[in-house]
Amino acid sequence: MKYLKYLAFIVLVSSGLIVTLPLKPAEAQVAYGSYVGVGPAVGISDGAQIGGVLAVRYKLLEKPVSFRAQALVGESTAVVPMVSYDVPLNWQTDAYLGAGLVLAGGDTPSPVGNKISFALQPGVDYMVPNSNTVIFGNAIIAFDAYRDKSGTAVSVQGGVGLRF
């Protein structure tokens, strides 16, 4: 009889805890805004140059800052690492301005020139609702980007990415 009182007490307390606990199952959360994507790139400053882009964005969750990198492949290749300041336009869309370097070399210009130069990158990222898909678009403006002549190189690119 003594144990029956303890058992009744444990059942009563346990049932009260079960009612107050959330009943939703635990789900893994994706890091909002981080993605890897691919798409076309068009260099528009030294004659039209068509190529491709491989883009990576790592979004810092607590700050409006992202680390970005793009590899532009055209007649030659350039890698463009950036740090961006992100401004949310709505729940799915961020506009941003990035600053970084164009790492390019060789005799043939890439879509953003053929020497190491400073660059700015304005752009927009759109997170497709209820999916892990991202649609992105941006421009890279590389200052003093050519080895043989002074000039600014501009490339416009966009594509589709997968959030991680």
Side-chain angles (χ1 to χ4, degrees):
M1 191 71 166
K2 180 178 175 184
Y3 295 109
L4 191 56
K5 288 181 185 179
Y6 290 122
L7 183 60
F9 178 73
I10 291 171
V11 168
L12 188 63
V13 170
S14 298
S15 64
L17 286 176
I18 291 172
V19 170
T20 61
L21 292 176
L23 298 177
K24 288 174 47 176
E27 295 180 17
Q29 298 278 332
V30 295
Y32 167 76
S34 297
Y35 66 84
V36 175
V38 295
V42 179
I44 58 176
S45 54
D46 191 30
Q49 188 179 138
I50 297 174
V53 63
L54 172 63
V56 178
R57 173 190 185 193
Y58 182 77
K59 170 85 172 133
L60 298 178
L61 296 178
E62 298 294 322
K63 306 287 183 202
V65 174
S66 295
F67 297 110
R68 300 173 183 269
Q70 293 192 347
L72 298 164
V73 180
E75 293 177 24
S76 68
T77 302
V79 176
V80 186
M82 295 266 175
V83 175
S84 68
Y85 182 78
D86 308 325
V87 178
L89 300 178
N90 59 37
W91 187 252
Q92 290 95 13
T93 310
D94 284 347
Y96 65 89
L97 179 61
L101 292 175
V102 171
L103 304 174
D107 294 329
T108 307
S110 72
V112 285
N114 63 348
K115 79 175 203 181
I116 296 173
S117 57
F118 173 75
L120 292 177
Q121 181 185 48
V124 175
D125 293 327
Y126 175 72
M127 311 304 165
V128 177
N130 302 317
S131 75
N132 285 332
T133 306
V134 177
I135 299 171
F136 65 92
N138 59 60
I140 296 175
I141 305 155
F143 299 95
D144 193 25
Y146 297 103
R147 209 175 266 167
D148 298 334
K149 60 182 178 177
S150 64
T152 302
V154 178
S155 177
V156 178
Q157 46 279 330
V160 177
L162 180 65
R163 287 194 293 176
F164 62 89

